[in-house]
Amino acid sequence: MSEPKIKCILFDWDGTLQRVSWIKHRGYAILGIFLPAWLKQFVFECIEFVDSFLAQPSLIISETCLRKIKERYRIGIATNRSKMFMETILKRAELGEGFFDVIAATRGLWNTWHERTRGWVLINPKPSLFLTHFSFRSFLRRNKINLFEVLFMGDDVSDYLSTKGTQVHFAGIAPNEARKRDFLSAGLSEELIFSTPQDALRHFGIVVE
């Protein structure tokens, strides 16, 4: 079976393209405790703000490698951070504005009404990325890229679920067995789960060093 023709590679930022900072490691532990939804939202925004301006970016895939990939593919970022925060981080990582062809910012966690429990809950907004995200869909149209020509790489089950019902190819990044089990439980094929993003790129025939 031949490998799919890929024109665009979309990376999740934290945990896939950048190592998660100690600020987020510690901060997200707070989100794991019981808090009202509005307070979780506030804490999340504070973590994102502090992390964006203070944490030193540490790329998992080198700038040299990314530039080599850019020679053949469109590349972009999918993130729950605001676009402003993301652009700040890219400047601090010395990648700069315009390095990535598209930044699909889904703007943090949001409250939504849960019909079964009749209450407000926090959701990860990425599941709407490929179906309704206006700027990303516009980017695909401008560049004549179909969803089946997009490879999305992410380290969280929510990243995988965002591709459900679409033709987007997905590669799960699982640096440990617990994360691998999460992907398998969600229905992702084991052959599409990788220890590193470099391994995933090689699987899809994308040359990296």
Side-chain angles (χ1 to χ4, degrees), residues 1-175:
M1 180 177 176
S2 61
E3 295 296 341
K5 181 177 176 58
I6 302 297
K7 292 184 179 180
C8 174
I9 304 168
L10 194 65
F11 299 94
D12 172 57
W13 180 252
D14 290 298
T16 301
L17 201 52
Q18 175 189 244
R19 293 175 181 85
V20 178
S21 71
W22 68 268
I23 293 174
K24 295 200 80 166
H25 271 304
R26 302 295 188 274
Y28 276 21
I30 299 173
L31 291 177
I33 66 176
F34 180 78
L35 293 173
W38 67 268
L39 185 54
K40 277 196 175 186
Q41 177 68 51
F42 175 76
V43 172
F44 176 85
E45 297 293 348
C46 290
I47 293 169
E48 294 298 320
F49 179 84
V50 173
D51 186 67
S52 298
F53 287 90
L54 295 183
Q56 180 58 41
S58 176
L59 295 176
I60 297 174
I61 301 178
S62 69
E63 179 184 349
T64 301
C65 182
L66 288 172
R67 290 191 182 280
K68 186 168 291 188
I69 295 171
K70 274 170 61 73
E71 293 174 2
R72 295 185 57 193
Y73 305 91
R74 297 285 188 177
I75 64 173
I77 295 170
T79 177
N80 288 332
R81 299 173 187 264
S82 71
K83 190 171 183 181
M84 179 188 73
F85 285 178
M86 195 66 246
E87 289 173 346
T88 298
I89 294 170
L90 292 178
K91 288 177 182 177
R92 297 180 64 242
E94 298 183 354
L95 294 176
E97 187 176 353
F99 184 89
F100 291 94
D101 297 300
V102 62
I103 298 176
T106 48
R107 298 182 181 275
L109 300 175
W110 297 99
N111 290 319
T112 188
W113 183 257
H114 195 289
E115 285 295 334
R116 184 173 63 82
T117 60
R118 307 300 294 176
W120 292 94
V121 296
L122 285 173
I123 62 167
N124 184 320
K126 281 181 186 170
S128 65
L129 173 63
F130 299 107
L131 300 177
T132 61
H133 194 285
F134 179 76
S135 62
F136 182 65
R137 297 286 294 186
S138 297
F139 162 78
L140 294 180
R141 284 195 297 272
R142 288 195 308 273
N143 290 278
K144 296 181 172 58
I145 298 173
N146 298 298
L147 285 177
F148 60 80
E149 295 171 314
V150 175
L151 169 62
F152 181 34
M153 298 170 55
D155 70 317
D156 193 85
V157 169
S158 65
D159 299 323
Y160 169 56
L161 295 178
S162 72
T163 65
K164 287 286 202 176
T166 74
Q167 297 174 298
V168 172
H169 301 281
F170 182 77
I173 309 304

